[in-house]
Amino acid sequence: MYSPGPVNFLALNAGLHGQGRQTLGFCVGVGFGIFIPLLAFSLLGAGLITPARLTLISALGCLYIAYLGVKTAIASLRVEVTPQSVKALSWRDGMLMQLLNPKGLAATLPLATIHLPAIGAHGSQLLLLCGVLAVLAGGAPLSYAVAGAVLGKRLQHPGYLRLFNMLMAALLLFAAGSLAYKQVYLGQFG
């Protein structure tokens, strides 16, 4: 959850651009994006996600991550713009990004089908554990946004911000390519 990935990169970037507080909804959306599949897989089992479906979901997620990378690369930067005038990441952005994130599915499937049953979680205990894991998942991008806000106060020069945006875009594109190779290509042909 806390490892560098597209969700956390976007939160870090938002924090750098003075949108740390506005990312709270995004972080809650990420939590819901973990909660939904975690609870669904726990209740319905792993049979919902066949290898073919996982490959399709992974491909869609990789395309979405690549789209965000390109969007980050071509974003215009104006330091004098107030943070409120730039569109902040929303709850919906966080939830959709997490639901389409192959890394998120790879994390929730074994939790829901192996770990939670192994400890005998069911009923209200299962709901509580899924909720706690969702809060922890939402805390990951929040911590990256806070780190970005702290760094952002020190990086006010447009050249530094542009360089950082390009770095974030490259990392998002790398994450999309890496996930596409591991989850889609190797999943189909490996």
Side-chain angles (χ1 to χ4, degrees):
M1 282 183 237
Y2 286 79
S3 62
V7 171
N8 292 334
F9 289 150
L10 285 174
L12 178 67
N13 198 38
L16 275 169
H17 290 90
Q19 297 178 336
R21 288 183 195 255
Q22 293 91 329
T23 61
L24 187 57
F26 175 77
C27 298
V28 172
V30 169
F32 271 93
I34 283 285
F35 181 79
I36 292 167
L38 191 57
L39 188 60
F41 294 153
S42 294
L43 295 174
L44 302 173
L48 285 176
I49 302 297
T50 64
R53 286 183 182 149
L54 183 59
T55 301
L56 176 64
I57 292 167
S58 295
L60 290 172
C62 292
L63 288 172
Y64 185 61
I65 293 167
Y67 161 76
L68 292 172
V70 170
K71 192 173 170 183
T72 300
I74 62 173
S76 65
L77 295 172
R78 290 179 293 171
V79 176
E80 70 277 357
V81 175
T82 60
Q84 291 77 20
S85 67
V86 178
K87 184 187 178 302
L89 295 168
S90 69
W91 179 87
R92 186 188 68 139
D93 294 332
M95 189 179 72
L96 285 176
M97 178 122 188
Q98 192 59 49
L99 284 172
L100 291 172
N101 185 352
K103 188 174 142 188
L105 288 175
T108 56
L109 198 54
L111 278 171
T113 59
I114 297 169
H115 298 292
L116 292 176
I119 62 169
H122 61 280
S124 60
Q125 182 187 25
L126 176 67
L127 191 62
L128 177 66
L129 287 171
C130 289
V132 167
L133 290 168
V135 168
L136 290 172
L142 183 61
S143 67
Y144 276 75
V146 168
V150 169
L151 287 173
K153 290 178 182 173
R154 289 155 179 72
L155 295 174
Q156 292 299 318
H157 189 275
Y160 292 136
L161 289 174
R162 183 75 190 140
L163 178 66
F164 194 82
N165 254 26
M166 295 308 288
L167 177 63
M168 289 295 105
L171 289 171
L172 285 167
L173 292 171
F174 174 77
S178 176
L179 288 168
Y181 177 73
K182 290 176 184 172
Q183 299 290 337
V184 179
Y185 178 77
L186 290 179
Q188 283 295 104
F189 307 109

